[in-house]
Amino acid sequence: MNIILLGPPGAGKGTQAARLVAERGMVQLSTGDMLRAAVKAGTPTGLKAKAVMESGALVSDEIVSGIIGEALDALSAGQGVIFDGYPRTAAQAESLETLLSDRARKLDHVIELVVDEDALVERIVGRFTCANCGAGYHDTFNRPKVDGVCDSCGGTEFKRRADDNEETVRTRMAEYRAKTAPILPIYDARGIVQRVDGMAPIAEVTDAIEAILDGKSA
Ligand code: AMP
């Protein structure tokens, strides 16, 4: 099964993808994570992407479709994929069709996380992760049980994304509205879009997504 999680920055795509990976053994392909890793490693792709990402604009379609193709090639045929943060433009949606059909895969569901945009800035600027295991936290909504200690691994180092500041978030939202939201009608026309309330508690959102994957929800 291959699915796309769609929604504006802060909608919970990464959080939900991580839960589906843990519960269903699917593979999360997050272009944002892959680009951040490239920036950290100082690869040629990372060097090209760094300033663009810091501004909140989109990295070129060629770069992201290239890394998705490579990531798909590294998987075995039976592994289900969750696309998180890709595609983000009509050109990427077109590339994805070819990337999938070349590998005898098809898209089963596009799940849109529907959120109240006013809440997103607060969600994003407060979020941080454990530097060791990647567990996600939030200053207001989801603090570690013991301040400064990761619930999952006991790590004491945390990090915040360079682009999770209010100014960059506004640009990322504008990019979503201008370039990503318009790809939904393409998938809608194929009847594969399902909408989930992304403002519900995290576990409820996961349940709603799983019901869709299990064919228990229209
Ligand atoms: P994300 O982690 O999905 O919020 O992505 C962080 C940043 O990486 C975005 O603001 C873009 O600069 C870049 N990025 C991630 N995925 C894509 C994509 N599919 N197309 C273009 N740029 C992307």
Side-chain angles (χ1 to χ4, degrees):
M1 179 166 296
N2 302 288
I3 69 168
I4 295 174
L5 291 183
L6 248 173
K13 302 183 295 292
T15 299
Q16 293 302 327
R19 292 171 65 91
L20 294 172
V21 167
E23 287 174 23
R24 302 199 154 227
M26 295 176 80
V27 176
Q28 173 188 13
L29 294 187
S30 157
T31 40
D33 285 350
M34 292 188 268
L35 289 168
R36 277 185 288 281
V39 170
K40 197 169 172 205
T43 66
T45 297
L47 294 175
K48 275 190 218 157
K50 187 170 189 284
V52 180
M53 292 173 74
E54 279 171 5
S55 75
L58 294 184
V59 172
S60 80
D61 292 331
E62 291 71 26
I63 289 183
V64 291
S65 293
I67 60 178
I68 285 285
E70 284 169 19
L72 284 171
D73 285 338
L75 302 180
S76 52
Q79 282 182 297
V81 176
I82 307 156
F83 293 98
D84 159 14
Y86 179 92
R88 258 180 160 94
T89 64
Q92 291 176 27
E94 243 177 70
S95 297
L96 180 59
E97 289 307 302
T98 316
L99 290 169
L100 289 175
S101 63
D102 285 353
R103 292 161 180 80
R105 288 178 179 268
K106 76 171 180 54
L107 198 54
D108 297 285
H109 299 283
V110 175
I111 297 173
E112 183 190 6
L113 297 176
V114 180
V115 283
D116 164 11
E117 276 205 24
D118 293 338
L120 294 182
V121 175
E122 190 187 8
R123 270 197 191 185
I124 292 178
V125 298
R127 69 187 181 181
F128 60 98
T129 54
C130 170
N132 179 49
C133 75
Y137 296 98
H138 190 281
D139 292 328
T140 312
F141 307 127
N142 180 26
R143 300 186 65 86
K145 291 193 181 72
V146 178
D147 254 351
V149 182
C150 175
D151 297 347
S152 301
C153 75
T156 53
E157 299 278 316
F158 296 88
K159 58 183 185 180
R160 289 174 194 264
R161 280 172 48 171
D163 59 351
D164 276 353
N165 59 78
E166 186 157 351
E167 192 192 340
T168 309
V169 169
R170 301 266 176 220
T171 306
R172 288 160 61 199
M173 302 272 187
E175 288 284 68
Y176 179 81
R177 270 194 297 272
K179 297 175 185 162
T180 309
I183 68 181
L184 268 163
I186 304 172
Y187 294 124
D188 253 332
R190 284 163 53 184
I192 55 171
V193 180
Q194 266 122 343
R195 295 183 165 80
V196 167
D197 175 11
M199 298 309 292
I202 289 172
E204 281 179 31
V205 178
T206 311
D207 289 347
I209 295 173
E210 299 219 81
I212 292 168
L213 303 189
D214 292 336
K216 291 182 186 149
S217 161

